[in-house]
Amino acid sequence: MVGDRAIVSERFIRWRTIVLAQLPNPITSPAWWQLMNWIADPIGFQDKCSQKYGDIFTMHLSGIGSYVVIGNPQAIGEIFNQDAKFDVGRGNAIAEPLVGRNSLMLVDGDRHRRERKLLMPPFHGERLQTYAKQICLITKQIASSWQVGQSFVARTTMQKISLEVILQVVFGLSEGERYQQLKPLLTEWLDMTDSPLKSSMLFLQFLQKDWGAWSPWGQMKQRQHHVRALLQAEIEERRAKDIKGRDVLSLMMAARDENGQAMTDEELKDELLTILFAGHETTATTLAWALYQIHQHPDVRDRLLHELDSLGEFAPMKIAQLPYLSAVCQETLRMYPVIPVIFPRITKSPTKIAGYLFEAQTALMPSIYLVHYREDLYPNAKQFQPERFLERQYSPSEYLPFGGGSRRCLGYALAGLEMKLVLATILSKYQLALVEDKPVQIQRRGFTLAPQGGVSMVVSAKSI
Ligand code: HEM
C-alpha cells in the first residue's frame, strides 16, 4: 500500500513538473507553501518571487491551481488588447459562495456583456452627479459625532461611510426597519474575514463546511441567508407598491436587455451583493490609506487645503476636477492596490503573450502590485509622491488600480468620486493627526489588503 502511494505521488510530482515546465519560471517551493504565503502575505511573496524569477513567473496554489503572475506592462497591454481570447468569470469561482453564481464577476461571454450593459448606466455619466451631494452629506453626518481629542480608527469610520453610500445610493435604503437590520448584519458579515487567519476560509475548501451556527462557515452562510431574505423582501415590496426611486436597485429593476428581458430576482440579489463586496471595502480601505499618507506628509495636506480654498465654494463636481486632489487619490491607489492582482485571464485557445505561447486553459494573472512598484515607471516607488501623476501620463497597462479591458472595475468612477468628496469634506472641516508615528503594515482582509490596525487617528481641531 505504502509503495502504491509512493508511486502515485511520484507520478503526480512528475506530471506537475511537466505541466509547470511548460509555464514560465515556475516557483520551486511546495504548492501548499505557496498557498500559505499567498494567503498570509501576498505582497512579500510577490516581492521575493519577482526578485528571484523576474516579472513573469508561475505560482502553484495547492487545491486552487497554477497562475502565471505578470508584472510586465507590455505583456499586460497585450492581454488587455486581446480581451476576447480570455475567460475571466470562471476563474473567479472562489467568490461564488459570497456573491452568488449570477454575479457579473463570475460570468463570461455574451452573459457578461449583457449584465455589464444593464449595470453600467447607474455608475457613469450624469447619474454620478446625483450621488455627489449624498456622499458629502453622509460624510458630514458620520464625522459630526467626532469630538476634539477623540481618537478613531480610520478604516472603520471610512467603512461606515462607504457602507452608508452603498446602502443609500445603490440599495436605496436610508431609514426604516429593513435598513436598521441590514446595516449591522452587513458589517458583521464583512468583518468575518478581517484577518489573514479568518480569510483562509475563503481559500481553503475544507474549511467551507456548514456545521451550523458554531462553525465559521455556518455563520457565514446564515448571515448570507439573512441578507438575501431582506433584499428579496425589499425587491418584492418595491414591485408590489410600484416604487421607482433614483437608486441603483430601482434602475436595475427597470433595466431591460435587447430582448426586452428584465433581470430576475436571483440576478438582482447577486448583483447587489457583488456591488457590496466589490465596492465597499475597496473604497473604505483606500480612503484609510489616503488619510494615513496625507497626515504623514504635512506638505501634502497643506497643498490639498490650499487647492480646496482656491475653489471658494464647496461645489462637489468642481472638487472632483481638482488636479492635486486627484493626484493624491491616484498615488494612494498606486501604492496600496487593495486587490494586489486583477482577475485571472484564462486562455480559451493557445495564445501568445510576451513571446510565450500559452496552451488553452492557462490562467494569467496581471499583478497590479508588481507594476505599480516598478522603479522604471515610478522612481522611488516606495515613496508617496502625488506629483508624479501631474508630471506624467501612464498608459492603462502601466497604471491599473481598477484592472482593464472589458472587465475594468464597474465602479471606478463612483469610487474616484467618493474618494475625492470624502477627503475634501473631512479635510476642510477637521484637523486630524496620526496617533502613532510608526509605519502601518499591509494585512490581508478577505480578498483585499488593508492597513494593519486600520490607522488610528485623533481629532485635533474642528472648524465650523
Ligand atoms: C477604490 C475602490 C475600488 C478598487 C481599487 C477596485 C478595483 C477593482 C479591480 C482591480 C477589479 C478587477 C478588474 C479586472 O480584472 O480587470 C474590479 C472589478 C469590479 N469592481 Fe471594483 N474597485 C473599487 C471600487 C468599486 C466600486 C465602488 C464598485 C461598485 C459600485 C465596484 C464594482 C466592481 C465590479 C462589479 C467588478 C467586476 C467587473 C466585471 O467583472 O466586469 N468596484 N474592481
Side-chain angles (χ1 to χ4, degrees), residues 80 88 92 104-106 112 116 123 166 170 274-275 278-280 282-283 286 333 338-339 341-343 345 368 400-412 414-415 418-419:
F80 288 164
V88 176
N92 284 335
L104 177 71
M105 277 198 272
L106 267 65
H112 178 256
R116 238 186 122 99
F123 291 105
I166 298 263
V170 180
T274 302
I275 292 165
H280 149 249
T282 42
T283 314
T286 314
L333 284 159
V338 207
I339 310 172
V341 289
I342 68 172
F343 299 155
R345 270 46 178 181
I368 307 178
L400 56 155
F402 296 108
S406 63
R407 307 297 295 217
R408 188 178 185 202
C409 173
L410 182 83
Y412 74 91
L414 175 63
E418 186 174 337
M419 282 177 67

Side-chain angles (χ1 to χ4, degrees), residues 25-125:
N25 307 318
I27 302 171
T28 49
S29 51
W32 63 267
W33 179 246
Q34 295 183 45
L35 177 66
M36 289 301 125
N37 274 283
W38 184 248
I39 295 174
D41 180 17
I43 293 295
F45 185 52
Q46 286 190 74
D47 266 340
K48 280 191 204 124
C49 294
S50 64
Q51 275 161 26
K52 187 164 173 195
Y53 301 98
D55 61 9
I56 300 184
F57 55 85
T58 304
M59 78 178 170
H60 188 74
L61 303 181
S62 180
I64 300 182
S66 299
Y67 296 93
V68 181
V69 181
I70 303 181
N72 178 304
Q74 285 78 28
I76 295 174
E78 288 176 40
I79 294 176
F80 288 164
N81 290 335
Q82 306 182 67
D83 257 347
K85 289 195 170 171
F86 303 96
D87 273 342
V88 176
R90 63 194 169 95
N92 284 335
I94 195 168
E96 188 184 325
L98 296 180
V99 293
R101 80 167 84 101
N102 301 295
S103 162
L104 177 71
M105 277 198 272
L106 267 65
V107 292
D108 278 309
D110 286 346
R111 180 91 194 274
H112 178 256
R113 267 189 295 280
R114 170 190 179 264
E115 295 287 310
R116 238 186 122 99
K117 230 171 158 179
L118 287 172
L119 291 175
M120 230 20 190
F123 291 105
H124 293 90

Side-chain angles (χ1 to χ4, degrees), residues 395-438:
S395 76
S397 57
E398 291 172 339
Y399 180 66
L400 56 155
F402 296 108
S406 63
R407 307 297 295 217
R408 188 178 185 202
C409 173
L410 182 83
Y412 74 91
L414 175 63
L417 181 71
E418 186 174 337
M419 282 177 67
K420 289 179 220 168
L421 295 182
V422 171
L423 289 175
T425 308
I426 290 178
L427 292 176
S428 55
K429 285 218 166 286
Y430 300 89
Q431 205 174 315
L432 307 175
L434 295 167
V435 169
E436 287 176 328
D437 204 10
K438 57 179 196 223

Side-chain angles (χ1 to χ4, degrees), residues 380-391:
N380 302 315
K382 290 200 169 131
Q383 286 173 26
F384 187 75
Q385 293 177 353
E387 297 75 22
R388 60 174 105 238
F389 284 95
L390 300 174
E391 289 157 5

